[in-house]
Each structure stands twice: as structure tokens, then as C-alpha cells.
Amino acid sequence: MRARNTKSHRLELSLIAALVLVASLTPTATAAPSWRQYVVGPTSRDVHPVRVLSATGDVTNPDGLLGAGVTTLRRPGPPARAAWPSGTTASASSSHAPNNGNDGRPRTYDAANAIDGSTDTFWNDDTLAAYPDVLTLTTPSAVTESGITMQFNADGVPQDFTVQDADGATLATVTGNTRLQLAVRFEQPATTTRFRITITRDQSTGKGEFTRVNEVWPGLVADPVAPSVVVDFGKVVVGYPKLAFAGASANHPGLRLAFSESTQYLGDRSDFTRSDFAGGPGTDQHAVPTGASTWTDTAGCLADGKVCADGLHGFRYVKITLDALPGDAPDAQPSGEVGISGVSLDFTGFIGDYTGWFESSDTQLNQYWYDAAYTNELVIDTFRPTDIEPRGADSPTLDGKLVLHDGAKRDRDPYVGDIAVSGRTTYLTHDAAVAARNVLADLADHQRADGWIPPASINGYTLPLFDYPLWWVTASWDYVLYTGDTGYGAQYYARVAKLLDGWYPSVTDSRGLLSRPAGYGDYAFLPRDGEVTYYNALYVQALKDAAQLAKSLGHNADVTRWQQRAAAVSAAVNATAWDGSAYVDAAGTSRHGQDGNGIAIVAGVADAGRATTALNYLAAHTALPYGNSFMDDNTLVPDGSQRVYAFTSYPEIEARFLAGQANSAIDEIKRLYGWMAGHDPGHTDWEGIGAGGSLYEGAYTSAAHGWSTGVLPALTNDLLGATPTSPGFATWTVAPHPGSVSWARGQLPTPHGPLSVSWQQGNGSITLTVTAPPGTKGTVQLAGRTFTVGGGSHTLTVR
């Protein structure tokens, strides 16, 4: 008894001595917290560009777009087009049958439309994605031309084609065209009675891969340069663009807006818009009225179906051009004069106080935490039919509710795999947990009769993903764990049981392992079936999380059954997938996946020895300048060893912290998140990274994606070390993994009040202060020692 008191007295003295040290880490009450310097998001919904990136053509005072006067764009009308000689005919390899067209008006698609002098009509071939498509123009007598000029329909732009004369000699070859109007110069002037245009590739659109030629003119038509200005908002933003106009000429001049998250894909067409799914033009159109006006980009068209726009966009750059689509005449014209007095954005992302925060001695890590928070703020938004995934994703049960979308610019549909990461990010930063709850509950409400739960509302809740129902379980437990909403857990507990005891047993093989059936995909639609390590490791995690939920609700029999099944699946994974270096991606393969290995460690499938070995293997075989690749070779997909997903990197980073490899976790964070922060568009976290550090799916890639924000929970839960262990932080643990970081501090929001943690290490000791809400209790694990504490402030030093 005396010895215990002496030990307690020594600890108490060291705690008192540490108070002075910790006080130096605490900001003064009057000063703004130092962590606020890293915050990225706006404080107002009225967001403005920060600079003019470029201007081309007849543009006066480009800075007027920033509010410094008026920017004027001028473009004279197009020159007269030459006409083909009377009696010229057009024929084609095929022509689509007449119909009522997209606008309901009767239309024909004959070859003659390409020379009728009207840009509103066009030739449309009748062989979907089959080539060649041939258009032949025949003049009654020989003509001499130095070239021809072609205008295309936005829904079917020929990319590769040749032009030949009557003798079959090639006059011009075009490859990679994306322009709607193209002057095709011949290698030398040609005298002939026939021009044969052979198309071998068209731009694929959602309206079918057809060749569509509106008009072919003799000669080279050089239209006046379309004036344009590019403005930069400084980072990816999301919302409704707004333009203020000082006035315009009386001919209804048109503006076309093209959006991009990066300069690499900034051009005459947006890097991706939702209308692209329906074969749209890739730009938003507006016809400017004569007087002063303000236009907010809104999804829809004019009453006659012309001059259409997408509305909401996620972008950093916008290119504003005085131009109009041929089919928008006469409502909008590609010439005239427009005065613009300002550009802004009605920001739709989340704006609110930070209820949780993080700061450390490493300024890079700090910025990555707040970059992730901002990325997530971009996807916390209201579910609106006009702004979400257009492929059957609208749902009356979600309309008008706050949700967590997957990305800022593209799909904008809440996917549960994304929420497994972005949900944690939300709980640790803002009072917006309802955004996750709304989605999780809605997906559960659409559970299939056999127990399967849809991944998202897309395709009427039918997209067949194999792994996402497991993410629904883990995300549901996370929601209850962080918020304390056991009412949600009780309401949907039967759905958990139906999924884990119904559907997944139906796809379990004789070894007790999940085996993906044909017809199902996963988070990356990867071509792998059978006993995949990632699926089974995630199954173990879901079973353990379900057991935790069952325990919190008093379903003890389910606790035992699910824990036993998790142990059995773990044993089967270790028996079939471990090859001595790491877990193979799937039975019968020799490749090793980041997803399976990372989750196997975090879920406890791997013991300490296997964890260390697997992490060492991944470090040696997958490290790239921009993160760790998700596969160690290219046998699954051609770029497997070059593709990086922050989504699958998060479990690996977490595993490194938990396995005592904090410095390697920090190194991976800095390579991955440092690359994204240091490359255009900056600040936001990308959906995926490809070879050489590129956006992995080119212009289609989302550069602000919620599933890539795992650095934030990794730094709070693992480096700072604070996590809940029962619903609503009734119990919690603080177990720092400092690595090379000298000090860290932060706050986690809980239903009982904030949980604050700060620690500092140096000279062979570490001092930690935790201030816990009343009525809660937790354990502090510090340098191999464990302490139990309750509510209030506690300071511990271990040497």
C-alpha cells in the first residue's frame, strides 16, 4: 500500500510540472486560434474569382470581371459563306431515318442537309459506332478549292477523317478534332468534281456515337476569333455561377461557359458536366439581353428548348466566350458586343463553425487536415434533382435533404463507400452529421428483399456493387459511435442482421469466405472475382462493427455469433491469402493489393508480425512520389502499379500508425497529400492519381472527392490519438502516435461537449493533457502505459 502511494506521488509531481509546459501550447482567449490560418473554405456564399488567368480576342479591361469596371467582349458577324454551284448533290453511306428530334420538331437527316445552307439541319449517319461513314459531294462541273469548311453538331463531332477528290487522291487528313467548326486546308489546291469525306472516328456522346455534319462550305471560312476570358477562383469551388452584365448589343449575343478544375483540361469544353451523360455540348449557354442584368447559371433551357445550361458546377477555372451554338439561333448569336461588370458564385457547399480542429508542429500536416475538411465541405450539400447524377439517381426520399455527395463536380450522388470516409471527416469537423444519417437511412430503406443494400440512388438504387453493403455497416456504426444516435442503430438494426445473416451468407463459399458472384462490381469496378482479400477483410470489419452495435443495443447473442464469424473468416484469410510477404489480392494470384492488406491490419485479421511484414512489403514495392499504388503489379489492370487511391491509402496509413510505424505513415501522407496540394488545382483531394502523378481518368476525374479525405481522421484519431469507443464518446481512448511530430493538439466534438487533447514530446519524455466532458471516461495510452481517467482535465507525463 505504501509503495502504491509513493508511485502515485511521483506521478502527481510530474503532472504538476507538466502544467507549465502544456499551458504554452494553449492559445490566449482573446487571440484567434492559430489553427484558423489553415482554414480554406469561404465565410460567405458570395464567392469571387481571385484573378484573370488569360484573355484572347477583342477583350477590353479583363479585370472588370473582378469588379474593376466593365469587361467588354466584341466579335463581328461571320463573313458570308460561299455556296456550292447550282446542281451540287450530296450522298452518304447511310442516313438516319426521320423522327421528331430532341426538340419534338420533325427532322430529316439526309446527306443533302449538309449543303442546304442551314446550320440547323444536319446529316446523321445510321451506323452506330461503326465506320467508315462517308459523305460525298458532287458538283456539276469541276471546281478549284484550297479547302473546305465543315460545321458539326455538338452531339457527333468527327474526330478522324480524310478528304479525297474524284480520282481517290487524298487532299487532307484530320485526326483528333474536337472543334465544332473546322477549316480543312488541302495539301495543295484541288480541281475536281467530287469531295469524298471518310470519317473513321467520332466523339462519343450519350446520344450515340454517330457522325453529324451540319454544313460543308466550299473554301476556307475564317470566322472572327471568338473573344474569351478565363477567371480563376483560386481553388475548387461549387455552386451556381453568376454574371452581372452592363449591357449588350441588340442581336442577342451568346455566351458560352466552359468549366475546369485544372488548367490541364481548360478549353472550349468543360472538363466534365452532368449533361455530358446525355451528349450535351460540354458548355453552358446564355443569351445576353440588351440592358443591365444579372444571370445565375441554372439548369434548363429557354422555352423553345434552346440555349441550355447545366446550372451547378464544381470548378476552379471558368472560360467565358462570346459565341453560340449553331442550333441556338436565332435566340443566341455568335457575334455582337457584351459588357460584363462582374463574375461570382453562389457557393452551395457547407459553411459553418468548426466544432473540431487539429494543429501540430508540422505545418504541412496541418494544411492537409484543413484541405481535407474543405474538400468535404464541397460535398456536404442539399440533394436537388437538377444538380445530381442524371442517370436515374433522383429520389423523392432524398430530395431537399442535406447529404454527403461523392464529389463536387460530376456524379454528385451519395455513395456509401465514400461516406465511410467522408462521414468520419464530417463528425470531426462540423455539426453536420445529419448529412450522413440521411443517406445511410435512405439506403437502408431501399434494402432488397434478399438483404442486399444499394450503394447509392443511381439507376434507381440498383447499381450492383459487392463491397458497398459492407461499407454501409461500418459507416452506420461510425455514425452511432461518433454521434451517440442509438435510435438510428435501433431503427435499422434489423437491416444489419438481414444483410449479414441473409445476403452475405448466400455468397459465401465452402471455406467460409465471400466469393464475388458474376454481375457485381466494387469501388473501382475492378475485374476480380472469387475469394478477394479486400472483400473478406472488409467483411471481418463489418462483422466486428455490427457486433459493437449489437452490444450497445443489448443483442448479446448476435454479438457472440458475429464475433465468432469474424474470427472464422480471419482464420480462413490467413490460411488462404497470406504468402509470407503480404496478403495476395485474391486466391490464385500473386499480386498484392493495398486495399486488402490495409484493411486486414486495421480489422485485426493480421497479427502484429504479419502487419509489420505486410507494411514493409508495401513500402518496398508500391511507393511512388505521389503515394503508394493500390496494386504491386499490373496483372489486374494495366496501370495497377501506378494508380493511387486515397480511398484505399487511408486504411494503409491508419495501419502504419497502429502498427507502430508512425513515421512511415507520415511519409506516405506527405507524398500523397503533398502531391495533391502542390499540383493544380491545389488544396482539394483527388478521386485518384494516375501514372506520373496525373488525374487518373483525365478530365473525367473529380479533383475534390470526399472519399479521399482520410488524412483528416488519420491525423485526429491516430496521430493525435483520440477516438470514441462507445456511442457518443461515453467512453473514449487517447493513444498518440507522434512519430517525428514534436507536438499536436486538437478538439473532437461529442454530444457531451468537446474532448480536447494536447501533447508534446522531447528530451525523452511525453506530456499529454486531456480535457474530457463530464459524464464520460476513457483510457490514455502513453509510451506503453495505460491510465484510466474521467471527465475534467488531466495532465500526464511519462519519461
mmCIF file of all heavy atoms in Angstrom, residues 32-72:
data_model
loop_
_atom_site.group_PDB
_atom_site.id
_atom_site.type_symbol
_atom_site.label_atom_id
_atom_site.label_comp_id
_atom_site.label_asym_id
_atom_site.label_seq_id
_atom_site.Cartn_x
_atom_site.Cartn_y
_atom_site.Cartn_z
ATOM 1 N N ALA A 32 -7.289 34.993 -32.061
ATOM 2 C CA ALA A 32 -7.881 33.968 -32.916
ATOM 3 C C ALA A 32 -7.035 32.710 -32.813
ATOM 4 O O ALA A 32 -5.801 32.786 -32.804
ATOM 5 C CB ALA A 32 -7.937 34.445 -34.353
ATOM 6 N N PRO A 33 -7.657 31.552 -32.694
ATOM 7 C CA PRO A 33 -6.870 30.313 -32.613
ATOM 8 C C PRO A 33 -5.901 30.204 -33.776
ATOM 9 O O PRO A 33 -6.259 30.509 -34.925
ATOM 10 C CB PRO A 33 -7.943 29.214 -32.655
ATOM 11 C CG PRO A 33 -9.197 29.882 -32.205
ATOM 12 C CD PRO A 33 -9.113 31.292 -32.684
ATOM 13 N N SER A 34 -4.687 29.771 -33.490
ATOM 14 C CA SER A 34 -3.665 29.727 -34.540
ATOM 15 C C SER A 34 -4.025 28.758 -35.653
ATOM 16 O O SER A 34 -3.573 28.922 -36.795
ATOM 17 C CB SER A 34 -2.314 29.373 -33.940
ATOM 18 O OG SER A 34 -2.384 28.148 -33.218
ATOM 19 N N TRP A 35 -4.862 27.741 -35.365
ATOM 20 C CA TRP A 35 -5.217 26.788 -36.415
ATOM 21 C C TRP A 35 -6.074 27.414 -37.513
ATOM 22 O O TRP A 35 -6.146 26.889 -38.623
ATOM 23 C CB TRP A 35 -5.928 25.567 -35.828
ATOM 24 C CG TRP A 35 -7.164 25.839 -35.008
ATOM 25 C CD1 TRP A 35 -7.247 25.926 -33.653
ATOM 26 C CD2 TRP A 35 -8.509 26.041 -35.495
ATOM 27 N NE1 TRP A 35 -8.537 26.183 -33.253
ATOM 28 C CE2 TRP A 35 -9.338 26.249 -34.366
ATOM 29 C CE3 TRP A 35 -9.090 26.071 -36.762
ATOM 30 C CZ2 TRP A 35 -10.710 26.475 -34.454
ATOM 31 C CZ3 TRP A 35 -10.460 26.305 -36.865
ATOM 32 C CH2 TRP A 35 -11.244 26.502 -35.722
ATOM 33 N N ARG A 36 -6.694 28.550 -37.227
ATOM 34 C CA ARG A 36 -7.564 29.167 -38.230
ATOM 35 C C ARG A 36 -6.797 29.641 -39.462
ATOM 36 O O ARG A 36 -7.387 29.853 -40.520
ATOM 37 C CB ARG A 36 -8.339 30.329 -37.614
ATOM 38 C CG ARG A 36 -9.440 29.872 -36.670
ATOM 39 C CD ARG A 36 -10.442 30.972 -36.397
ATOM 40 N NE ARG A 36 -11.506 30.509 -35.526
ATOM 41 C CZ ARG A 36 -12.598 29.856 -35.951
ATOM 42 N NH1 ARG A 36 -12.730 29.596 -37.243
ATOM 43 N NH2 ARG A 36 -13.514 29.459 -35.102
ATOM 44 N N GLN A 37 -5.487 29.822 -39.345
ATOM 45 C CA GLN A 37 -4.710 30.260 -40.506
ATOM 46 C C GLN A 37 -4.718 29.224 -41.627
ATOM 47 O O GLN A 37 -4.409 29.556 -42.780
ATOM 48 C CB GLN A 37 -3.268 30.532 -40.087
ATOM 49 C CG GLN A 37 -2.516 29.285 -39.634
ATOM 50 C CD GLN A 37 -1.133 29.579 -39.116
ATOM 51 O OE1 GLN A 37 -0.298 30.094 -39.846
ATOM 52 N NE2 GLN A 37 -0.896 29.268 -37.848
ATOM 53 N N TYR A 38 -5.065 27.976 -41.304
ATOM 54 C CA TYR A 38 -5.053 26.914 -42.300
ATOM 55 C C TYR A 38 -6.418 26.696 -42.961
ATOM 56 O O TYR A 38 -6.522 25.931 -43.923
ATOM 57 C CB TYR A 38 -4.605 25.599 -41.658
ATOM 58 C CG TYR A 38 -3.239 25.663 -41.029
ATOM 59 C CD1 TYR A 38 -3.091 25.746 -39.644
ATOM 60 C CD2 TYR A 38 -2.089 25.657 -41.809
ATOM 61 C CE1 TYR A 38 -1.832 25.813 -39.057
ATOM 62 C CE2 TYR A 38 -0.829 25.718 -41.235
ATOM 63 C CZ TYR A 38 -0.710 25.798 -39.857
ATOM 64 O OH TYR A 38 0.537 25.871 -39.289
ATOM 65 N N VAL A 39 -7.458 27.337 -42.460
ATOM 66 C CA VAL A 39 -8.807 27.110 -42.974
ATOM 67 C C VAL A 39 -8.899 27.584 -44.425
ATOM 68 O O VAL A 39 -8.441 28.677 -44.767
ATOM 69 C CB VAL A 39 -9.858 27.826 -42.101
ATOM 70 C CG1 VAL A 39 -11.242 27.747 -42.736
ATOM 71 C CG2 VAL A 39 -9.879 27.206 -40.702
ATOM 72 N N VAL A 40 -9.494 26.780 -45.280
ATOM 73 C CA VAL A 40 -9.537 27.040 -46.727
ATOM 74 C C VAL A 40 -10.875 27.615 -47.167
ATOM 75 O O VAL A 40 -10.941 28.461 -48.053
ATOM 76 C CB VAL A 40 -9.248 25.743 -47.514
ATOM 77 C CG1 VAL A 40 -9.300 25.986 -49.007
ATOM 78 C CG2 VAL A 40 -7.897 25.162 -47.107
ATOM 79 N N GLY A 41 -11.965 27.168 -46.582
ATOM 80 C CA GLY A 41 -13.296 27.478 -47.088
ATOM 81 C C GLY A 41 -13.691 28.936 -46.929
ATOM 82 O O GLY A 41 -13.135 29.663 -46.096
ATOM 83 N N PRO A 42 -14.685 29.382 -47.721
ATOM 84 C CA PRO A 42 -15.169 30.762 -47.632
ATOM 85 C C PRO A 42 -16.036 30.965 -46.395
ATOM 86 O O PRO A 42 -16.557 30.011 -45.816
ATOM 87 C CB PRO A 42 -15.990 30.926 -48.910
ATOM 88 C CG PRO A 42 -16.507 29.542 -49.183
ATOM 89 C CD PRO A 42 -15.401 28.608 -48.751
ATOM 90 N N THR A 43 -16.198 32.214 -46.012
ATOM 91 C CA THR A 43 -17.077 32.558 -44.890
ATOM 92 C C THR A 43 -18.416 33.083 -45.372
ATOM 93 O O THR A 43 -19.306 33.337 -44.568
ATOM 94 C CB THR A 43 -16.402 33.615 -43.997
ATOM 95 O OG1 THR A 43 -16.087 34.762 -44.797
ATOM 96 C CG2 THR A 43 -15.123 33.061 -43.378
ATOM 97 N N SER A 44 -18.552 33.266 -46.678
ATOM 98 C CA SER A 44 -19.782 33.782 -47.263
ATOM 99 C C SER A 44 -20.127 32.959 -48.495
ATOM 100 O O SER A 44 -19.252 32.388 -49.147
ATOM 101 C CB SER A 44 -19.590 35.249 -47.662
ATOM 102 O OG SER A 44 -20.626 35.696 -48.521
ATOM 103 N N ARG A 45 -21.399 32.919 -48.824
ATOM 104 C CA ARG A 45 -21.822 32.195 -50.033
ATOM 105 C C ARG A 45 -21.568 33.000 -51.297
ATOM 106 O O ARG A 45 -21.671 32.474 -52.399
ATOM 107 C CB ARG A 45 -23.306 31.822 -49.934
ATOM 108 C CG ARG A 45 -23.582 30.875 -48.772
ATOM 109 C CD ARG A 45 -24.730 29.940 -49.034
ATOM 110 N NE ARG A 45 -24.871 28.988 -47.944
ATOM 111 C CZ ARG A 45 -24.181 27.856 -47.845
ATOM 112 N NH1 ARG A 45 -23.303 27.554 -48.787
ATOM 113 N NH2 ARG A 45 -24.360 27.047 -46.830
ATOM 114 N N ASP A 46 -21.229 34.255 -51.150
ATOM 115 C CA ASP A 46 -20.899 35.100 -52.291
ATOM 116 C C ASP A 46 -19.393 35.025 -52.522
ATOM 117 O O ASP A 46 -18.618 35.706 -51.863
ATOM 118 C CB ASP A 46 -21.335 36.538 -52.011
ATOM 119 C CG ASP A 46 -21.104 37.462 -53.199
ATOM 120 O OD1 ASP A 46 -21.137 36.975 -54.346
ATOM 121 O OD2 ASP A 46 -20.882 38.676 -52.975
ATOM 122 N N VAL A 47 -18.980 34.191 -53.473
ATOM 123 C CA VAL A 47 -17.564 33.907 -53.715
ATOM 124 C C VAL A 47 -17.153 34.518 -55.057
ATOM 125 O O VAL A 47 -17.904 34.435 -56.031
ATOM 126 C CB VAL A 47 -17.306 32.387 -53.710
ATOM 127 C CG1 VAL A 47 -15.861 32.075 -54.044
ATOM 128 C CG2 VAL A 47 -17.673 31.802 -52.346
ATOM 129 N N HIS A 48 -15.947 35.108 -55.087
ATOM 130 C CA HIS A 48 -15.492 35.804 -56.281
ATOM 131 C C HIS A 48 -14.165 35.233 -56.779
ATOM 132 O O HIS A 48 -13.375 34.705 -55.980
ATOM 133 C CB HIS A 48 -15.326 37.297 -55.989
ATOM 134 C CG HIS A 48 -16.622 37.992 -55.718
ATOM 135 N ND1 HIS A 48 -17.252 38.799 -56.637
ATOM 136 C CD2 HIS A 48 -17.432 37.984 -54.615
ATOM 137 C CE1 HIS A 48 -18.380 39.260 -56.127
ATOM 138 N NE2 HIS A 48 -18.513 38.786 -54.901
ATOM 139 N N PRO A 49 -13.890 35.346 -58.082
ATOM 140 C CA PRO A 49 -12.584 34.910 -58.590
ATOM 141 C C PRO A 49 -11.479 35.789 -58.027
ATOM 142 O O PRO A 49 -11.703 36.937 -57.627
ATOM 143 C CB PRO A 49 -12.724 35.071 -60.109
ATOM 144 C CG PRO A 49 -13.826 36.074 -60.299
ATOM 145 C CD PRO A 49 -14.749 35.893 -59.147
ATOM 146 N N VAL A 50 -10.257 35.230 -58.038
ATOM 147 C CA VAL A 50 -9.118 35.954 -57.459
ATOM 148 C C VAL A 50 -8.229 36.582 -58.516
ATOM 149 O O VAL A 50 -7.419 37.452 -58.208
ATOM 150 C CB VAL A 50 -8.289 35.023 -56.558
ATOM 151 C CG1 VAL A 50 -9.123 34.531 -55.395
ATOM 152 C CG2 VAL A 50 -7.723 33.835 -57.360
ATOM 153 N N ARG A 51 -8.342 36.145 -59.773
ATOM 154 C CA ARG A 51 -7.507 36.726 -60.823
ATOM 155 C C ARG A 51 -8.079 36.373 -62.182
ATOM 156 O O ARG A 51 -8.897 35.457 -62.323
ATOM 157 C CB ARG A 51 -6.068 36.205 -60.725
ATOM 158 C CG ARG A 51 -5.944 34.700 -60.941
ATOM 159 C CD ARG A 51 -4.513 34.237 -61.091
ATOM 160 N NE ARG A 51 -4.433 32.794 -61.232
ATOM 161 C CZ ARG A 51 -3.425 32.153 -61.824
ATOM 162 N NH1 ARG A 51 -2.413 32.846 -62.326
ATOM 163 N NH2 ARG A 51 -3.419 30.834 -61.906
ATOM 164 N N VAL A 52 -7.642 37.155 -63.176
ATOM 165 C CA VAL A 52 -7.902 36.819 -64.577
ATOM 166 C C VAL A 52 -6.698 36.049 -65.079
ATOM 167 O O VAL A 52 -5.566 36.544 -65.037
ATOM 168 C CB VAL A 52 -8.134 38.083 -65.425
ATOM 169 C CG1 VAL A 52 -8.216 37.727 -66.898
ATOM 170 C CG2 VAL A 52 -9.408 38.794 -64.981
ATOM 171 N N LEU A 53 -6.926 34.839 -65.530
ATOM 172 C CA LEU A 53 -5.827 33.985 -65.976
ATOM 173 C C LEU A 53 -5.371 34.336 -67.380
ATOM 174 O O LEU A 53 -4.164 34.356 -67.668
ATOM 175 C CB LEU A 53 -6.250 32.516 -65.912
ATOM 176 C CG LEU A 53 -5.165 31.479 -66.185
ATOM 177 C CD1 LEU A 53 -4.091 31.529 -65.107
ATOM 178 C CD2 LEU A 53 -5.778 30.075 -66.248
ATOM 179 N N SER A 54 -6.306 34.628 -68.280
ATOM 180 C CA SER A 54 -5.937 34.938 -69.661
ATOM 181 C C SER A 54 -7.108 35.587 -70.372
ATOM 182 O O SER A 54 -8.260 35.503 -69.925
ATOM 183 C CB SER A 54 -5.515 33.673 -70.411
ATOM 184 O OG SER A 54 -6.610 32.766 -70.516
ATOM 185 N N ALA A 55 -6.802 36.242 -71.493
ATOM 186 C CA ALA A 55 -7.831 36.819 -72.351
ATOM 187 C C ALA A 55 -7.363 36.698 -73.791
ATOM 188 O O ALA A 55 -6.179 36.885 -74.089
ATOM 189 C CB ALA A 55 -8.077 38.275 -71.994
ATOM 190 N N THR A 56 -8.272 36.375 -74.703
ATOM 191 C CA THR A 56 -7.944 36.262 -76.127
ATOM 192 C C THR A 56 -8.998 36.988 -76.937
ATOM 193 O O THR A 56 -10.148 37.120 -76.516
ATOM 194 C CB THR A 56 -7.885 34.788 -76.576
ATOM 195 O OG1 THR A 56 -9.152 34.160 -76.304
ATOM 196 C CG2 THR A 56 -6.798 34.027 -75.829
ATOM 197 N N GLY A 57 -8.605 37.437 -78.122
ATOM 198 C CA GLY A 57 -9.532 38.127 -78.995
ATOM 199 C C GLY A 57 -9.774 39.558 -78.551
ATOM 200 O O GLY A 57 -8.995 40.149 -77.787
ATOM 201 N N ASP A 58 -10.865 40.134 -79.005
ATOM 202 C CA ASP A 58 -11.190 41.537 -78.752
ATOM 203 C C ASP A 58 -11.833 41.666 -77.375
ATOM 204 O O ASP A 58 -13.064 41.613 -77.226
ATOM 205 C CB ASP A 58 -12.122 42.059 -79.851
ATOM 206 C CG ASP A 58 -12.330 43.563 -79.770
ATOM 207 O OD1 ASP A 58 -11.874 44.184 -78.786
ATOM 208 O OD2 ASP A 58 -12.955 44.116 -80.694
ATOM 209 N N VAL A 59 -10.990 41.824 -76.368
ATOM 210 C CA VAL A 59 -11.445 41.950 -74.984
ATOM 211 C C VAL A 59 -10.858 43.229 -74.398
ATOM 212 O O VAL A 59 -9.647 43.441 -74.436
ATOM 213 C CB VAL A 59 -11.005 40.747 -74.125
ATOM 214 C CG1 VAL A 59 -11.444 40.942 -72.667
ATOM 215 C CG2 VAL A 59 -11.575 39.454 -74.687
ATOM 216 N N THR A 60 -11.712 44.100 -73.853
ATOM 217 C CA THR A 60 -11.276 45.335 -73.217
ATOM 218 C C THR A 60 -11.448 45.234 -71.708
ATOM 219 O O THR A 60 -12.505 44.793 -71.229
ATOM 220 C CB THR A 60 -12.090 46.534 -73.731
ATOM 221 O OG1 THR A 60 -11.957 46.602 -75.152
ATOM 222 C CG2 THR A 60 -11.608 47.835 -73.121
ATOM 223 N N ASN A 61 -10.408 45.610 -70.947
ATOM 224 C CA ASN A 61 -10.444 45.628 -69.483
ATOM 225 C C ASN A 61 -10.875 44.288 -68.889
ATOM 226 O O ASN A 61 -11.923 44.181 -68.243
ATOM 227 C CB ASN A 61 -11.378 46.725 -68.979
ATOM 228 C CG ASN A 61 -11.314 46.873 -67.449
ATOM 229 O OD1 ASN A 61 -10.260 46.648 -66.839
ATOM 230 N ND2 ASN A 61 -12.427 47.238 -66.837
ATOM 231 N N PRO A 62 -10.073 43.239 -69.065
ATOM 232 C CA PRO A 62 -10.438 41.927 -68.497
ATOM 233 C C PRO A 62 -10.688 41.962 -66.996
ATOM 234 O O PRO A 62 -11.500 41.186 -66.486
ATOM 235 C CB PRO A 62 -9.220 41.052 -68.842
ATOM 236 C CG PRO A 62 -8.592 41.724 -70.018
ATOM 237 C CD PRO A 62 -8.809 43.190 -69.821
ATOM 238 N N ASP A 63 -10.018 42.874 -66.270
ATOM 239 C CA ASP A 63 -10.188 42.913 -64.816
ATOM 240 C C ASP A 63 -11.573 43.382 -64.387
ATOM 241 O O ASP A 63 -11.905 43.339 -63.195
ATOM 242 C CB ASP A 63 -9.126 43.809 -64.188
ATOM 243 C CG ASP A 63 -7.753 43.150 -64.159
ATOM 244 O OD1 ASP A 63 -7.703 41.910 -64.319
ATOM 245 O OD2 ASP A 63 -6.745 43.852 -63.987
ATOM 246 N N GLY A 64 -12.379 43.821 -65.342
ATOM 247 C CA GLY A 64 -13.751 44.148 -64.997
ATOM 248 C C GLY A 64 -14.500 42.954 -64.428
ATOM 249 O O GLY A 64 -15.433 43.104 -63.637
ATOM 250 N N LEU A 65 -14.086 41.767 -64.815
ATOM 251 C CA LEU A 65 -14.722 40.556 -64.280
ATOM 252 C C LEU A 65 -14.468 40.397 -62.795
ATOM 253 O O LEU A 65 -15.178 39.658 -62.110
ATOM 254 C CB LEU A 65 -14.214 39.322 -65.026
ATOM 255 C CG LEU A 65 -14.467 39.283 -66.540
ATOM 256 C CD1 LEU A 65 -14.011 37.964 -67.120
ATOM 257 C CD2 LEU A 65 -15.938 39.509 -66.853
ATOM 258 N N LEU A 66 -13.436 41.083 -62.287
ATOM 259 C CA LEU A 66 -13.118 41.036 -60.860
ATOM 260 C C LEU A 66 -13.749 42.204 -60.111
ATOM 261 O O LEU A 66 -13.469 42.416 -58.930
ATOM 262 C CB LEU A 66 -11.595 41.060 -60.660
ATOM 263 C CG LEU A 66 -10.787 39.997 -61.418
ATOM 264 C CD1 LEU A 66 -9.303 40.162 -61.119
ATOM 265 C CD2 LEU A 66 -11.259 38.597 -61.073
ATOM 266 N N GLY A 67 -14.574 42.984 -60.809
ATOM 267 C CA GLY A 67 -15.226 44.115 -60.172
ATOM 268 C C GLY A 67 -14.565 45.443 -60.428
ATOM 269 O O GLY A 67 -14.954 46.459 -59.837
ATOM 270 N N ALA A 68 -13.549 45.490 -61.301
ATOM 271 C CA ALA A 68 -12.818 46.731 -61.587
ATOM 272 C C ALA A 68 -13.315 47.334 -62.894
ATOM 273 O O ALA A 68 -12.608 47.383 -63.889
ATOM 274 C CB ALA A 68 -11.322 46.455 -61.650
ATOM 275 N N GLY A 69 -14.575 47.751 -62.917
ATOM 276 C CA GLY A 69 -15.135 48.327 -64.128
ATOM 277 C C GLY A 69 -15.903 47.313 -64.941
ATOM 278 O O GLY A 69 -16.489 46.372 -64.394
ATOM 279 N N VAL A 70 -15.881 47.492 -66.262
ATOM 280 C CA VAL A 70 -16.647 46.628 -67.163
ATOM 281 C C VAL A 70 -15.694 45.981 -68.158
ATOM 282 O O VAL A 70 -14.859 46.660 -68.769
ATOM 283 C CB VAL A 70 -17.729 47.423 -67.916
ATOM 284 C CG1 VAL A 70 -18.440 46.540 -68.938
ATOM 285 C CG2 VAL A 70 -18.737 48.017 -66.932
ATOM 286 N N THR A 71 -15.819 44.683 -68.313
ATOM 287 C CA THR A 71 -15.096 43.953 -69.346
ATOM 288 C C THR A 71 -15.981 43.881 -70.584
ATOM 289 O O THR A 71 -17.148 43.487 -70.499
ATOM 290 C CB THR A 71 -14.760 42.523 -68.880
ATOM 291 O OG1 THR A 71 -13.933 42.579 -67.729
ATOM 292 C CG2 THR A 71 -14.049 41.748 -69.985
ATOM 293 N N THR A 72 -15.430 44.276 -71.745
ATOM 294 C CA THR A 72 -16.214 44.263 -72.977
ATOM 295 C C THR A 72 -15.630 43.247 -73.953
ATOM 296 O O THR A 72 -14.429 43.255 -74.233
ATOM 297 C CB THR A 72 -16.227 45.646 -73.628
ATOM 298 O OG1 THR A 72 -16.750 46.599 -72.694
ATOM 299 C CG2 THR A 72 -17.103 45.638 -74.878
#
